[in-house]
Amino acid sequence: MSIVTNGRLLYVAHPTGYQIPGVHTKYVVEEQIDLDKVDLDGGILVKTLTLSSDPYVRLRMRDPKVPSTFPHLTLGHPVENYGVGVVVRSEKAEFKPGDHVYGFFGFENYTVYPGPPERHHIMQFIQKLDRDPDIPTSVYVGTLGMPGQTAYAGLNAFVAEKAKTSKTLFVSAAAGPVGTYVIEYARHTNPHLKIIASAGSPEKLEILKQSGADVVFNYKTTDTAKVLAEHGPIDIYWDHDGGPVLDETLANMQHYGVIMRVGTNSGYNTERTGLKNLHAMVEKSLSMFGFIVGLGDVQQKALVNFRPDTTKLVLDGVIKIREKKYEELKAAGQALADVHRGQSLGKPVVIVAED
């Protein structure tokens, strides 16, 4: 028999503001499991290697009565998100022990996919991971995972043609893995663009410069509207903020501009605000797109070449890897909290086990 202790990060309380480790999530080591006897119910048993901390997880931390496209987390059950693991046992013909897999896993050392019915939802998936031996598994939850897919799909599905004839691209809250991918990919594919990017600290502004942005500014100490008025008008806006930043950008958009709504950082932990300049959508004939990566035929088509294209860009050094590593599962609660307070330089990844 192979008996192990299975650590888990449980979701234990709904936050009303910022999530707090030990209050809203709790790390427990209380479950002894026999790897040879775990009930798979037609699924697979995965040893977790790497887990991702992403801002949108805060939207899942809510009472189930609150409607959302994002499925809620279940109190008393492990937090779950994108991860990479290796198959230990399998009752699915397409997976064999030793296979690397990428998918949606519980925050636990060993997880069963798809798990009990209460953990089934629209975002669940699992797929074999044909990883490059020169790329660490952690990169597959960042640049080669959901954040990279978000940037690649959004740019190729909605912005590619517009970028060819545009002059300016503005990326807000740009120092995360999605924002830096957008900047580096846009610089690579459309070198004529003037790229404007914002972040909230000197260290993050340096990352934006390294990524290829032409104009960088600290949104905490600088008037966004003044920067955009000086360096705009803006043809393409990649929006991670919503709220006041979106409002200021609307006023500084070029006619027939395109806005990509990818996140609402300003409303994840505080009350959301309205828009005063929404009239610009009509007066300037703007287009605005919002999307959740991977959902819909348009994005599925846009992602067909994501993995081979991005792997080459990473190996060639065009897309840089920037990570903030949290060692061991017990640090996962802090990783989830830090991403909302701007405490992480680079993609936050939880290293649960060695490959």
Side-chain angles (χ1 to χ4, degrees):
M1 292 189 299
S2 181
I3 297 177
V4 299
T5 300
N6 192 37
R8 298 177 292 165
L9 183 74
L10 302 182
Y11 178 53
V12 295
H14 303 311
T16 56
Y18 287 98
Q19 54 178 300
I20 302 172
V23 175
H24 304 109
T25 59
K26 182 179 180 181
Y27 175 71
V28 297
V29 182
E30 60 180 19
E31 185 182 43
Q32 298 290 318
I33 61 173
D34 186 338
L35 298 180
D36 298 321
K37 295 183 178 180
V38 173
D39 185 8
L40 305 186
D41 194 23
I44 64 175
L45 176 64
V46 177
K47 177 183 177 181
T48 308
L49 300 177
T50 308
L51 293 166
S52 179
S53 171
D54 298 296
Y56 89 95
V57 176
R58 175 62 182 82
L59 299 177
R60 302 189 63 204
M61 294 180 169
R62 67 181 197 280
D63 190 303
K65 296 177 183 177
V66 178
S68 173
T69 300
F70 294 103
H72 64 84
L73 294 178
T74 302
L75 292 175
H77 289 263
V79 175
E80 54 180 9
N81 195 25
Y82 299 93
V84 172
V86 61
V87 177
V88 178
R89 289 174 46 220
S90 174
E91 292 180 356
K92 287 183 175 290
E94 62 269 37
F95 296 101
K96 295 179 174 56
D99 285 346
H100 283 88
V101 288
Y102 170 67
F104 223 79
F105 304 144
F107 274 42
E108 46 195 345
N109 293 112
Y110 293 87
T111 189
V112 174
Y113 181 90
E118 59 267 26
R119 288 169 62 178
H120 296 182
H121 53 74
I122 190 175
M123 295 182 69
Q124 271 197 321
F125 75 98
I126 194 166
Q127 59 188 218
K128 280 188 181 180
L129 179 62
D130 185 17
R131 58 173 291 236
D132 188 289
D134 293 325
I135 298 178
T137 57
S138 58
V139 179
Y140 289 91
V141 299
T143 301
L144 280 162
M146 182 274 288
Q149 289 175 326
T150 299
Y152 184 92
L155 290 171
N156 284 290
F158 303 108
V159 177
E161 286 301 314
K162 177 67 176 176
K164 293 177 182 178
T165 57
S166 293
K167 295 181 179 179
T168 55
L169 163 67
F170 172 41
V171 187
S172 65
V178 179
T180 55
Y181 189 117
V182 168
I183 294 170
E184 291 170 336
Y185 191 78
R187 175 60 65 221
H188 176 67
T189 56
N190 293 279
H192 64 280
L193 284 172
K194 177 196 282 188
I195 301 176
I196 306 164
S198 67
S201 72
E203 294 81 6
K204 291 181 178 180
L205 294 185
E206 187 59 35
I207 289 175
L208 301 185
K209 293 176 184 177
Q210 295 171 3
S211 299
D214 300 291
V215 178
V216 303
F217 67 95
N218 188 327
Y219 65 85
K220 295 180 180 179
T221 60
T222 305
D223 188 325
T224 298
K226 288 183 178 180
V227 174
L228 300 185
E230 178 182 355
H231 294 283
I234 306 303
D235 293 298
I236 303 168
Y237 174 37
W238 188 278
D239 180 25
H240 290 124
D241 274 306
V245 177
L246 173 58
D247 210 30
E248 292 164 346
T249 308
L250 280 166
N252 287 280
M253 290 293 295
Q254 178 63 282
H255 284 76
Y256 313 111
V258 173
I259 299 171
M260 295 299 301
R261 289 282 295 111
V262 188
T264 309
N265 290 348
S266 64
Y268 283 149
N269 301 286
T270 57
E271 186 176 353
R272 297 179 181 179
T273 59
L275 301 174
K276 297 179 181 179
N277 294 316
L278 195 59
H279 58 87
M281 290 294 300
V282 175
E283 295 174 6
K284 297 183 179 183
S285 298
L286 305 177
S287 299
M288 185 184 295
F289 299 95
F291 71 99
I292 298 174
V293 66
L295 298 185
D297 292 340
V298 172
Q299 289 185 70
Q300 288 295 329
K301 291 178 181 177
L303 285 170
V304 168
N305 294 317
F306 165 74
R307 193 62 58 74
D309 284 356
T310 303
T311 297
K312 185 177 188 306
L313 291 171
V314 168
L315 293 175
D316 290 346
V318 175
I319 302 292
K320 305 294 193 301
I321 303 304
R322 302 173 182 87
E323 295 180 326
K324 165 65 175 177
K325 293 184 177 180
Y326 294 78
E327 300 294 338
E328 300 184 7
L329 186 61
K330 60 186 177 182
Q334 194 63 52
L336 290 168
D338 285 353
V339 76
H340 287 286
R341 295 186 179 274
Q343 301 298 315
S344 299
L345 289 177
K347 166 63 184 169
V349 293
V350 182
I351 309 300
V352 180
E354 296 298 325
D355 194 354

